Amino acid sequence: MTDELATLPASAPLIDVRHLSKSFGESMVLRDISFSVYKGDVLTIIGPSGGGKSTLLRCVTHLETVSGGTILIGGDAMVRDGVYAEKKALRRICLRMGLVFQNFNLFPHFSVLRNITEAQIHVLRRTSAEARATAMGLLEKMGLAQKANAYPCELSGGQQQRVSIARALALDPDILFFDEPTSALDPELTGEILRVIRALAAVHMTMVIVTHEMAFARDVSDRTLFIDGGLIIEDAPSRQLFDAPLQNRTKAFLSRMTNE
C-alpha cells in the first residue's frame, strides 16, 4: 500500500469518478458517469455489448483519455475537469492500478516467470531475486508453480489468465481491474478464474470487474453498475439490483440474460 493511500481518510473513496464523458469523434460513448469505489469493495459493471462498459474501464485505467470529467485515485486527481495530471504524478497514480485483460496479453516469447518478473524489475526496480520470489509466491497461490518455465503457448486459456492475474498482482496494485476476464474461456476454464477472483474478494482486494457472468456478479460483488447507451441506468447493491431492479431497462436486460 502506498503512503498516500495509508493516509487517506477511512470515509474517502479509493476511486471517485465524477461527470466523466468520452466521445470518439461525433459519437458520445460515455455520458455524465459518476460513481465511487471504497477500499475492499468489489464493483461489477454489467450491460449490453456496446453499452460503454469496457470504455469506462479503459478510461479509469488511463488506456483511453477522457473527453471531460474527473477521476480521483486514492484522493489524487488523475484527471480533473478534463485536464490530466503532469506526467510524473500520472505515472505514480497509474501504478496503483492493475488490469487483467480478456485476451491475457502475455508476452509469447517470455516464460511464465519472466512475464511476471519483467515489470517488477523495470518498473518497480526490484532485484531479480526479489522479483522471482514475488512471482513464485503468486504462482504457488495460483496453482501454477510447476509452470514457471513454460511459455504461454504451452498453457490452457485458464492457466494463461491466472498468469495474467499473477502478473498484475506482482506490482502490488491498490485496485485490480478485470475486463471480461472469462470471455475468451470455455465454461470449465471460466470456473478456474471465477474461483481465483472469489479468493481475492475474500481477502478484501479492491476490484472493478466488467463481466457477463450474472450469477457471479450477484454473489461476489458488493455493488453493480448497469450501463447502457453510455449512461449508468442503475447503481445498487448487487443482490438488490439482481433480485429487485428498479429500472425497467435493467429488468429487461436481466430477464434476457437469464433466459439465454
Side-chain angles (χ1 to χ4, degrees), residues 210-227:
V210 170
T211 185
H212 60 275
E213 300 285 344
M214 297 297 108
F216 170 76
R218 177 190 181 277
D219 293 341
V220 169
S221 62
D222 302 292
R223 279 180 38 246
T224 297
L225 303 183
F226 171 57
I227 293 181

Side-chain angles (χ1 to χ4, degrees), residues 66-151:
V66 307
S67 302
T70 295
I71 301 172
L72 305 177
I73 304 295
D76 290 338
M78 184 172 84
V79 54
R80 190 185 296 277
D81 297 328
V83 178
Y84 278 88
E86 57 90 19
K87 188 175 180 180
K88 184 177 179 181
L90 189 58
R91 180 178 179 276
R92 176 173 50 81
I93 292 167
C94 288
L95 277 175
R96 298 182 181 181
M97 301 181 283
L99 178 59
V100 177
F101 299 90
Q102 55 185 303
N103 292 316
F104 322 137
N105 280 28
L106 298 174
F107 294 110
H109 56 296
F110 286 177
S111 68
V112 164
L113 185 63
R114 190 173 174 190
N115 262 285
I116 300 173
T117 58
E118 193 77 0
Q120 294 185 68
I121 294 167
H122 295 289
V123 176
L124 298 186
R125 305 300 182 191
R126 287 176 179 161
T127 66
S128 295
E130 290 170 336
R132 179 185 174 86
T134 297
M136 290 306 300
L138 288 166
L139 287 173
E140 186 73 38
K141 290 179 180 178
M142 297 290 166
L144 293 173
Q146 76 282 9
K147 299 291 186 180
N149 295 317
Y151 286 82

Side-chain angles (χ1 to χ4, degrees), residues 31-260:
R31 310 164 187 266
D32 197 26
I33 298 286
S34 296
F35 67 94
S36 298
V37 179
Y38 290 81
K39 187 179 185 304
D41 282 355
V42 179
L43 174 74
T44 46
I45 304 174
I46 64 170
S49 296
K53 308 183 300 296
S54 290
T55 300
L56 174 57
L57 204 71
R58 291 176 66 85
C59 285
V60 176
T61 56
H62 194 44
L63 291 179
E64 296 281 359
T65 56
V66 307
S67 302
T70 295
I71 301 172
L72 305 177
I73 304 295
D76 290 338
M78 184 172 84
V79 54
R80 190 185 296 277
D81 297 328
V83 178
Y84 278 88
E86 57 90 19
K87 188 175 180 180
K88 184 177 179 181
L90 189 58
R91 180 178 179 276
R92 176 173 50 81
I93 292 167
C94 288
L95 277 175
R96 298 182 181 181
M97 301 181 283
L99 178 59
V100 177
F101 299 90
Q102 55 185 303
N103 292 316
F104 322 137
N105 280 28
L106 298 174
F107 294 110
H109 56 296
F110 286 177
S111 68
V112 164
L113 185 63
R114 190 173 174 190
N115 262 285
I116 300 173
T117 58
E118 193 77 0
Q120 294 185 68
I121 294 167
H122 295 289
V123 176
L124 298 186
R125 305 300 182 191
R126 287 176 179 161
T127 66
S128 295
E130 290 170 336
R132 179 185 174 86
T134 297
M136 290 306 300
L138 288 166
L139 287 173
E140 186 73 38
K141 290 179 180 178
M142 297 290 166
L144 293 173
Q146 76 282 9
K147 299 291 186 180
N149 295 317
Y151 286 82
C153 65
E154 300 173 308
L155 306 180
S156 70
Q159 289 171 332
Q160 289 186 61
Q161 191 62 295
R162 279 184 279 161
V163 172
S164 70
I165 294 171
R167 179 179 61 182
L169 289 170
L171 297 181
D172 296 330
D174 297 316
I175 314 148
L176 199 54
F177 294 83
F178 294 84
D179 185 10
E180 297 278 14
T182 61
S183 65
L185 305 175
D186 64 34
E188 184 176 0
L189 298 179
T190 291
E192 292 181 18
I193 302 309
L194 298 185
R195 283 192 292 274
V196 170
I197 297 174
R198 286 178 190 274
L200 291 171
V203 295
H204 307 293
M205 181 75 200
T206 308
M207 293 183 283
V208 178
I209 308 167
V210 170
T211 185
H212 60 275
E213 300 285 344
M214 297 297 108
F216 170 76
R218 177 190 181 277
D219 293 341
V220 169
S221 62
D222 302 292
R223 279 180 38 246
T224 297
L225 303 183
F226 171 57
I227 293 181
D228 189 20
L231 295 167
I232 295 178
I233 306 299
E234 193 156 352
D235 174 359
S238 294
R239 297 208 171 206
Q240 176 185 314
L241 187 143
F242 284 97
D243 295 345
L246 299 178
Q247 303 300 322
N248 288 334
R249 180 68 188 92
T250 314
K251 294 175 185 177
F253 172 80
L254 292 175
S255 177
R256 189 178 77 249
M257 294 294 290
T258 301
N259 292 327
E260 285 183 353

